[in-house]
Amino acid sequence: MGITAALGISLVGNFQETNVIVIHLIGALLAFVVGSIYCWIQTGMSFKMPDLPGNSVIVCRIRTVISVLTFIFIIMLFIFPTLSNQQAPSWVNVTDNTYWKPGKPHFPVGIFSLLSKLKKPKGESNLDYWNPSVPGYGFRITSTVSEWLVALLIVIFLATFYKEFRYFKLEKPTCSVHDRTKVVSVEQTGNEQSA
C-alpha cells in the first residue's frame, strides 16, 4: 500500500494537471485515498504492537487523530469540488473533453478540484484562474485547502515513526550463489567466500 501511495505521488509530480489531467488525477487518487488507508492500517498495527520499541499509547493516539482528520478531509475532497462546479456559471468548463457538463456532478473526475479551468466567455477576457467573483469559489478554496491538509497530514503521520526507526539496524546486503558442488557467498565489497 505504501508503494502504491508513493507511485501516486510520483504520478502527481510527473504529470501536471495542465498537461495530462487523467494521469494526474489517478495519481492523486492513489496518493490520497490509498495513503489514507495505509495510515489506518499502520495505526491498527501500532495498537496491536504496543511493546514495539519506540511505540507508545500516546503515539498510537496521535496516529489515530491524524488518520481521522485525513479521512474527514478526503471526504471534503469528494464533496466540495462537486458543489463548487454545480454553482459555477455555464461558461466554466474543466477541459475541452466531455468529462463534465456545467451544473452537473462530475464524480469522480473533479474529486480533488484539479480539473477546474475557466474558459473564456463569449465577448469577455480570458480567465485562467478562479477568483472570488465566480460562484462556487468558496467551495473550491475549501477543497484546495483540504487537499493540501491531507498531504500535510500524511507527511506528519510518516514522521511519527521516527522513534521506531531508531531501533532498526541496516546491514550490508549479501548475495549467495548456489552451485551444485559449492556455495559461493558474495558480499557488497565483491569478495567471494567459499562455503
Side-chain angles (χ1 to χ4, degrees):
M1 285 212 139
I3 292 173
T4 305
L7 172 68
I9 291 169
S10 177
L11 290 175
V12 167
N14 289 308
F15 296 94
Q16 297 176 351
E17 66 176 297
T18 55
N19 297 332
V20 189
I21 189 65
V22 174
I23 302 296
H24 185 83
L25 285 177
I26 290 169
L29 187 69
L30 290 174
F32 294 143
V33 175
V34 175
S36 178
I37 294 168
Y38 176 79
C39 290
W40 279 108
I41 291 172
Q42 287 295 332
T43 300
M45 289 172 58
S46 296
F47 277 107
K48 295 283 186 184
M49 297 183 290
D51 297 332
L52 185 70
N55 194 9
S56 68
V57 175
I58 293 170
V59 171
C60 291
R61 289 179 182 162
I62 290 170
R63 290 179 185 158
T64 302
V65 168
I66 292 171
S67 297
V68 167
L69 289 173
T70 301
F71 178 75
I72 290 169
F73 289 126
I74 286 177
I75 296 300
M76 292 172 69
L77 289 175
F78 280 89
I79 294 171
F80 286 102
T82 302
L83 295 174
S84 173
N85 288 327
Q86 283 177 341
Q87 288 187 358
S90 62
W91 47 270
V92 174
N93 196 352
V94 287
T95 59
D96 292 327
N97 55 32
T98 59
Y99 288 134
W100 176 74
K101 301 291 183 202
K104 295 183 181 177
H106 55 283
F107 178 85
V109 174
I111 290 174
F112 302 105
S113 178
L114 295 174
L115 286 175
S116 301
K117 295 284 178 192
L118 297 179
K119 296 296 181 181
K120 182 169 101 175
K122 292 181 181 178
E124 300 212 12
S125 64
N126 188 16
L127 299 172
D128 57 356
Y129 60 92
W130 281 82
N131 62 53
S133 66
V134 176
Y137 176 78
F139 289 133
R140 176 168 166 70
I141 293 299
T142 302
S143 175
T144 303
V145 169
S146 297
E147 179 182 341
W148 281 100
L149 287 173
V150 168
L152 179 66
L153 286 169
I154 290 175
V155 170
I156 291 170
F157 182 86
L158 295 174
T160 65
F161 288 98
Y162 78 95
K163 283 188 176 181
E164 282 104 330
F165 289 154
R166 289 189 331 188
Y167 294 97
F168 284 86
K169 180 180 178 185
L170 295 177
E171 296 181 6
K172 63 182 178 178
T174 60
C175 178
S176 297
V177 178
H178 296 282
D179 191 5
R180 290 184 180 178
T181 58
K182 63 180 179 175
V183 176
V184 178
S185 177
V186 180
E187 293 187 16
Q188 185 180 9
T189 59
N191 298 335
E192 294 184 3
Q193 297 176 348
S194 297

